[in-house]
Amino acid sequence: MVAFGKKLKERQIQEWQGYYINYKLMKKRVKQYAHQIEVGTLDRRHVLKDFSRMLDNQIEKIVLFLLEQQGLLASRLTKLREQHDALEEQPEFSQIAELREAYRAVGQDLLKLLYFVEMNAIGLRKILKKFDKRFGYRFTDYYVKTRANHPYSQLQQVFKHVGLGAVVGAVSRNLHELQDRQGSYLSIYDPPALPLQDPVVDLIKAAVDRLSYSTNFLNFLAQHALIMQEELPAPTEEHIDEERYHFMSLLLNLANTFLYMVNTYIIVPTADDYSMSLGAAATVCGVVIGAMAVAQVFSSVYFSAWSNRSYFRPLVFSSIVLFVGNTMYALAYDMNSLVVLLLGRLFCGLGSARAVNRRYISDCVPLKIRMQASAGFVSASALGMACGPALAGILQTNFKIYKLTFNQDTLPGWVMAAAWLVYLIWLWISFKEPSHDVEERPSPHASNSEPAENDALEKGLKQPLLITSEDKQEDDEDQEGDGSEEASEESRQPATSIASAYRLLTPSVKVQLLIYFMLKYAMEILLSESSVITTYYFSWSTGTVAIFLACLGLTVLPVNIVVGSYISNMFEDSRQILLASEIMVCVGILLSFHVILPYTVPQYVCSGLITFVFAEVLEGVNLSLLSRVMSSRLSRGTYNGGLLSTEAGTIARVIADATITLAGYLGESKLLNITLLPSLIICLSSIVATCFTYNSLY
């Protein structure tokens, strides 16, 4: 991994070299400030004033050059518009073709300008983040708010690319009009929008989409998946991704995610009844449900390691193990064996290939559609979570074929075994194993020939402006020597164990993992004991429990739409949403306690809905923040950031399910309050940790 400073130098357009942000100088100045404060020759007030002035000068240099280039492009477009008007009166095919090429040339220069803005925006964000980290001060918030909200803001030109939209619109509209529409009078503004076929327009549109970064629904879901990416991949990576990408293989990974989530939750409405039919207490359902999570703690690690060498073989192994596990789960009824039942669930957990699914999207899906694929991963999980209980509610029948019993307890196992068998056949026929030995090639230097420069420019414009790993290289760059642009190779290697990965976590990341643990614990308590609680207090049938759980699952995507598209845009700091969501989860838990007789259905349903919905909000915002602050060393390798979050959530589920079973020994009348008490304590601890950590850091 190459430091950002070197990447910036390599990818600069040579004739514009003096107008880029001087990232190397500013990084060196930050180190000087740190040393001067340490020896007592400077105070913080002077540092803040001096650094603010330096940033203002850098931004002014960038913006004035940007305005100058916009003016040149606008002047060229004005002259082309005059030619276009003349051709409308006396159209000539050869002149139309020449005019189209002239607009394309403007489009190519516009692409260069967009890439110029992109590189400078990344540099500004990284140096602000580095300053905050060095001095433990929320300088970024202060600087962005004071500059961006000012009526004469120059920062808006960089981050909002004010004015470039008009140039983009002019190029796109005119290229659209010059295409052969065979009498069509529609323009790019008329719905439905006609597809823009010109490659230059497609490239411009993609570049503008990245520059127009905001926490919209699609990006919110992508970060929810915690599929981590490198900030500025080499230009050759897009070509490599295209070679490795196979749509059907991606679809198979998403199908695996969906089926596994169905498999996890399909037994929840009937697990207590199944336990009692085998002679155990109803609260043993906690162990039955949690056995899958116990095995997943270990399977996540070996699947993550296996995905370094193959994607096909782990998916085949996963399908076979899940087929066997579900068959054992179904056969346990006729064998009258609780041990076989638990072994079946353990086998299902050993087939958890979510680490492979995440890794495939991260490594084999092209950057231009990786966000959509990541959002698909989260959507498949949410849909599976809703379909599992709903399917259990449908399977309310009882019959025998030979000596095999098919009822509401065993049918979830038989149905899922059949589903995994069909999936295995589909996988064997359709999956294409991507190459794992792609040779790495150095990125072309900006000073190479013009074709190479243009190729690097266009490919570079396909890279995201603000990917989820925005400042992951900071830890590495802080270890650089004064005259060196690259940190030691050892400091850039991925983590080699859980312990080494844990040592890379900052205090804020640890708090966010605690929050993730808390919300998974609270959700698992709510879902896993729902059948026992509702049967004891309200005498609900299995079908009613299934409908309740399915309705909870169906809230996942609407909640993410609201948070990703609206709420997150109403707050400048996501930590405000984070803390508010934690408080609301705490409120939901408090309302769930049985302190007033009698315990009513509205109280249970409303408190459960508050807990679940705000836990979902909290999960999305938390993983979104987590994905932006993880170390770059946790973006690759076996022990990556996705694995850490998965392990934290899985361990929380295991402990929650064990709590349900242990609390059951005290009687079902005390089960609700006893299981809610740890949820409340953990939730309050996470709120305190959130307030303390962010106040101490900033």
Side-chain angles (χ1 to χ4, degrees):
M1 185 187 300
V2 182
F4 174 78
K6 186 169 184 179
K7 286 187 177 182
L8 178 62
K9 185 177 179 180
E10 286 178 347
R11 300 187 189 182
Q12 287 179 357
I13 299 170
Q14 287 300 300
E15 59 267 29
W16 296 353
Q17 191 170 9
Y19 301 101
Y20 285 88
I21 181 175
N22 196 333
Y23 182 78
K24 183 177 179 180
L25 173 65
M26 299 189 74
K27 187 175 66 174
K28 189 174 182 180
R29 186 64 60 87
V30 170
K31 291 181 180 179
Q32 290 175 354
Y33 290 149
H35 176 70
Q36 289 171 337
I37 288 177
E38 186 178 347
V39 299
T41 57
L42 273 183
D43 59 14
R44 283 178 177 263
R45 186 184 299 273
H46 179 83
V47 167
L48 295 177
K49 182 179 179 180
D50 190 57
F51 191 65
S52 297
R53 185 172 60 251
M54 188 176 184
L55 274 174
D56 290 340
N57 292 338
Q58 290 288 320
I59 292 171
E60 183 176 275
K61 173 184 70 174
I62 295 166
V63 168
L64 292 178
F65 178 75
L66 176 62
L67 292 173
E68 178 187 349
Q69 293 300 313
Q70 285 179 210
L72 293 174
L73 291 176
S75 177
R76 291 168 63 184
L77 286 170
T78 301
K79 294 177 181 178
L80 292 175
R81 180 71 255 176
E82 294 172 357
Q83 297 177 31
H84 195 172
D85 292 340
L87 281 174
E88 287 182 352
E89 297 178 2
Q90 296 181 345
E92 292 185 18
F93 181 78
S94 60
Q95 292 184 2
I96 291 176
E98 291 177 4
L99 186 59
R100 187 185 301 168
E101 288 303 316
Y103 272 112
R104 283 176 180 158
V106 174
Q108 290 288 347
D109 289 340
L110 176 58
L111 280 172
K112 291 182 180 180
L113 194 58
L114 289 169
Y115 191 43
F116 170 81
V117 177
E118 178 179 7
M119 296 294 288
N120 283 295
I122 294 174
L124 285 171
R125 293 179 192 274
K126 286 182 69 64
I127 201 66
L128 285 167
K129 192 79 172 182
K130 185 179 291 294
F131 186 90
D132 281 357
K133 182 178 178 181
R134 279 278 186 171
F135 301 105
Y137 182 75
R138 198 185 292 181
F139 176 75
T140 299
D141 290 354
Y142 157 76
Y143 188 82
V144 172
K145 286 178 184 177
T146 55
R147 269 59 176 180
N149 295 329
H150 195 276
Y152 306 127
S153 172
Q154 292 180 325
L155 192 63
Q156 289 282 5
Q157 292 279 352
V158 179
F159 287 140
K160 299 294 184 182
H161 48 94
V162 179
L164 279 175
V167 182
V168 171
V171 173
S172 302
R173 184 178 65 83
N174 283 282
L175 280 173
H176 181 88
E177 289 180 357
L178 289 169
Q179 290 178 359
D180 183 12
R181 290 295 173 188
Q182 297 182 349
S184 172
Y185 292 94
L186 292 176
S187 77
I188 62 171
Y189 305 114
D190 294 319
L194 293 176
L196 301 175
Q197 302 296 331
D198 198 291
V200 173
V201 175
D202 290 337
L203 284 171
I204 292 172
K205 184 177 181 298
V208 171
D209 286 343
R210 287 188 306 277
L211 281 170
S212 302
Y213 178 90
S214 63
T215 314
N216 54 29
F217 173 52
L218 191 61
N219 184 69
F220 188 79
L221 285 181
Q223 292 173 330
H224 200 155
L226 201 63
I227 294 169
M228 305 184 70
Q229 304 169 13
E230 208 176 318
E231 174 158 359
L232 282 175
T236 52
E237 286 189 9
E238 183 71 19
H239 173 66
I240 293 169
D241 282 340
E242 292 286 358
E243 290 181 348
R244 305 179 78 190
Y245 174 62
H246 182 235
F247 174 75
M248 188 58 69
S249 300
L250 172 61
L251 193 62
L252 282 161
N253 272 278
L254 297 179
N256 184 280
T257 299
F258 169 76
L259 286 176
Y260 186 79
M261 293 303 289
V262 172
N263 211 148
T264 300
Y265 291 99
I266 193 173
I267 72 155
V268 173
T270 58
D272 60 332
D273 184 66
Y274 204 164
S275 300
M276 289 190 292
S277 69
L278 299 179
T283 52
V284 173
C285 69
V287 173
V288 175
I289 297 170
M292 196 168 177
V294 171
Q296 190 179 341
V297 172
F298 304 99
S299 65
S300 297
V301 177
Y302 67 71
F303 271 116
S304 183
W306 202 349
S307 63
N308 291 326
R309 301 185 300 276
S310 173
Y311 301 100
F312 176 68
R313 288 191 290 273
L315 291 176
V316 169
F317 176 78
S318 167
S319 305
I320 293 172
V321 170
L322 281 158
F323 170 77
V324 172
N326 282 289
T327 303
M328 292 175 66
Y329 181 86
L331 290 174
Y333 187 90
D334 293 305
M335 297 174 67
N336 195 30
S337 173
L338 184 63
V339 173
V340 174
L341 182 73
L342 293 174
L343 286 175
R345 288 294 287 177
L346 283 170
F347 264 75
C348 289
L350 292 174
S352 172
R354 286 173 68 81
V356 180
N357 305 145
R358 276 196 181 103
R359 187 71 177 272
Y360 184 87
I361 294 172
S362 176
D363 292 354
C364 303
V365 175
L367 285 167
K368 61 186 178 183
I369 63 167
R370 192 172 298 167
M371 185 179 290
Q372 290 91 325
S374 303
F377 176 86
V378 176
S379 301
S381 299
L383 189 60
M385 185 179 182
C387 288
L391 189 58
I394 296 172
L395 302 175
Q396 302 295 303
T397 186
N398 192 348
F399 62 92
K400 272 198 170 189
I401 299 178
Y402 297 104
K403 295 183 179 181
L404 298 178
T405 302
F406 296 86
N407 58 23
Q408 65 175 12
D409 298 332
T410 62
L411 275 172
W414 291 122
V415 168
M416 292 312 303
W420 284 112
L421 183 61
V422 172
Y423 175 81
L424 179 61
I425 296 171
W426 181 25
L427 179 72
W428 195 272
I429 295 172
S430 303
F431 192 87
K432 179 182 177 182
E433 178 74 89
S435 173
H436 281 260
D437 54 354
V438 180
E439 183 180 352
E440 294 187 5
R441 290 162 289 180
S443 59
H445 195 277
S447 61
N448 286 352
S449 62
E450 186 68 24
E453 179 182 311
N454 287 338
D455 184 59
L457 171 66
E458 292 188 7
K459 291 181 178 178
L461 277 164
K462 297 178 183 178
Q463 315 307 335
L465 171 60
L466 269 180
I467 310 188
T468 52
S469 58
E470 182 179 319
D471 285 287
K472 289 175 191 160
Q473 295 182 11
E474 289 180 20
D475 293 339
D476 299 334
E477 291 178 359
D478 284 339
Q479 300 175 25
E480 296 171 1
D482 290 337
S484 174
E485 278 291 339
E486 294 185 72
S488 64
E489 194 64 31
E490 182 181 354
S491 68
R492 302 184 187 279
Q493 295 302 314
T496 56
S497 66
I498 289 287
S500 63
Y502 183 80
R503 286 194 295 270
L504 292 173
L505 303 180
T506 62
S508 60
V509 173
K510 291 176 182 177
V511 169
Q512 287 170 257
L513 287 177
L514 171 63
I515 294 170
Y516 192 62
F517 177 93
M518 177 274 292
L519 67 91
K520 285 297 182 183
Y521 183 94
M523 291 171 69
E524 189 71 10
I525 288 290
L526 172 65
L527 298 174
S528 295
E529 71 177 12
S530 59
S531 183
V532 179
I533 295 299
T534 54
T535 301
Y536 178 79
Y537 285 105
F538 318 126
S539 301
W540 280 7
S541 65
T542 299
T544 307
V545 177
I547 292 171
F548 171 67
L549 294 176
C551 289
L552 286 181
L554 288 172
T555 63
V556 174
L557 284 180
V559 166
N560 279 309
I561 291 174
V562 172
V563 176
S565 299
Y566 302 104
I567 295 179
S568 59
N569 290 328
M570 294 167 60
F571 296 89
E572 296 182 4
D573 192 345
S574 298
R575 290 185 293 271
Q576 297 171 346
I577 309 175
L578 191 77
L579 186 57
S581 301
E582 286 182 87
I583 293 171
M584 289 305 300
V585 170
C586 188
V587 170
I589 294 171
L590 284 170
L591 292 175
S592 299
F593 277 92
H594 180 201
V595 291
I596 300 175
L597 294 175
Y599 195 60
T600 62
V601 172
Q603 180 185 351
Y604 178 77
V605 172
C606 291
S607 61
L609 193 62
I610 291 172
T611 301
F612 188 85
V613 167
F614 282 97
E616 277 298 321
V617 174
L618 184 58
E619 181 175 6
V621 176
N622 186 57
L623 289 182
S624 174
L625 285 170
L626 190 62
S627 65
R628 291 202 291 262
V629 297
M630 280 276 193
S631 166
S632 60
R633 294 174 63 185
L634 294 175
S635 63
R636 288 289 184 269
T638 300
Y639 303 95
N640 52 60
L643 176 64
L644 289 181
S645 64
T646 299
E647 293 291 81
T650 304
I651 292 171
R653 291 171 51 207
V654 170
I655 296 174
D657 291 323
T659 302
I660 294 171
T661 300
L662 293 174
Y665 287 106
L666 300 176
E668 292 184 16
S669 61
K670 299 179 180 178
L671 177 65
L672 180 65
N673 288 346
I674 291 174
T675 53
L676 287 175
L677 189 58
S679 295
L680 181 61
I681 294 172
I682 298 171
C683 187
L684 290 172
S685 301
S686 72
I687 292 173
V688 172
T690 301
C691 296
F692 177 78
T693 301
Y694 289 122
N695 284 338
S696 63
L697 284 177
Y698 300 105

